[in-house]
Amino acid sequence: VLTARAMANAYGFPGFEYVSIAHPVASLTSVQISVLVRDLLPDLLRILGASGME
Amino acid sequence: VFVEDADSVRAAMEYYADQGWTDGLPVVPVTESYLAEFLASVDRDPGDVLLDMPQLNRSLTVRLAAINAALAGCLPLYFPVVVAAWESLALEGYPVRGIWQSTTGTAPFLIVNGPVRERIGLNSGGNVFGSGFRANATIGRAIRLGVLNAFGLRPHELDQATQGTPAKYTFCIGENEEESPWPGLHVDFGLSSGDSAVTAVVIRSCVHIEARHTRVPEQLAIDIAGTISRTGALIHETISAAVVLSPEHARLFSAAGWSKDDIRSFLYSHAVVSWSKLAAAGKEAVSSRTRWRLPSDHPDALPVAASGGMVRVLNSPEAVLVVVAGAGNSGVSAVVETFGPRGGAAPVTRIQL
């Protein structure tokens, strides 16, 4: 999360919004990845200004 | 030394530490006049860009390199080596592609060749990876401070290294050309022995090889190959290595008629791991997307052509660099696990003196 904020600052967008997920990722199965994505989707849609479309 | 001067120096050092302009150790206060001595040691415009990281919107200029070399404790005399080291890192390629933001936690490894070693007192003999020599300690540190201060690649921020490596403090050696039976690394890549050069490679670990027991070159080479091919090092399909031979080991090979290319070819053929050992570690397949190693039942795994047999961990003899360094007092060498080259030339960069 600190790194995401630092990258946003480096590009001049200090308020840039992002979503975060827990490690590990590389060793997950496809099903486990799908669960992760489903959980973060509402936040993602909110940031993109598309809430209510899920 | 006047006590009041010492107090002022200490106050300046604490101020620099408070600003975060340090790797954790005290840094040397830098004045404009001291900076001018560094800039006068090279025939370069202070605004010249030595390394650009577009993904961070940041660049390192000659002036920034000089400030960080002075902070690191370099003498102005060392600065041409620092400039060439940055140029070599730009050629090497991994830093520009963002490797120092990676969880892998790599460090630059600098190999210095030529007469400059004697001129600046750079150690290439005993304790070559250890501490005790100002040029080795501060030239490597000059790069690290530039990474921290110019690019903002600080731990817990843009540097996401999971563990990093002690080599991040400094990792700079001279090749022991005087006790090597072969031409130096820089000569292997087209420079003359009278040139001075830096070769910078991105590395993860430095693993020692204890081999005091043999006079048989094949046995020694097999011992080295066994170290190169450990499964824990394999994140990608293959690995690369800088083999740092002690003078005793180098002479053992040379006396048996082996050239450096012979060693590279032998290691390419013999740095192998059994398929079953890879499978036991869950690294027998390769991802179709990243070419990273993973188990064959992973959804990204490419079909495994054949199970069984031996798997090469080097993609070519060129994935191995051979360097001679250390004291000629025992059969101890090292494998420095590099991220490249895996083919093509090493980023040997001539130092403009």
Side-chain angles (χ1 to χ4, degrees), chain B residues 108-174:
Chain B
F109 173 39
L110 311 179
I111 304 156
V112 181
N113 282 95
V116 74
R117 293 164 304 133
E118 190 179 351
R119 183 177 167 195
I120 65 173
L122 190 89
N123 184 31
S124 60
N127 209 35
V128 71
F129 296 142
S131 58
F133 296 85
R134 182 171 181 176
N136 303 64
T138 61
I139 291 170
R141 191 186 187 208
I143 302 300
R144 178 61 180 154
L145 290 180
V147 168
L148 291 165
N149 295 328
F151 292 108
L153 284 161
R154 294 200 170 81
H156 303 187
E157 295 177 27
L158 288 172
D159 178 347
Q160 303 176 77
T162 305
Q163 295 185 317
T165 161
K168 276 186 164 184
Y169 280 100
T170 183
F171 198 13
C172 174
I173 69 168

Side-chain angles (χ1 to χ4, degrees), chain B residues 243-264:
Chain B
V243 175
V244 182
L245 297 173
S246 64
E248 183 174 310
H249 279 164
R251 281 195 295 267
L252 190 161
F253 282 123
S254 173
W258 290 40
S259 66
K260 283 195 262 187
D261 279 346
D262 292 334
I263 296 170
R264 298 166 99 192

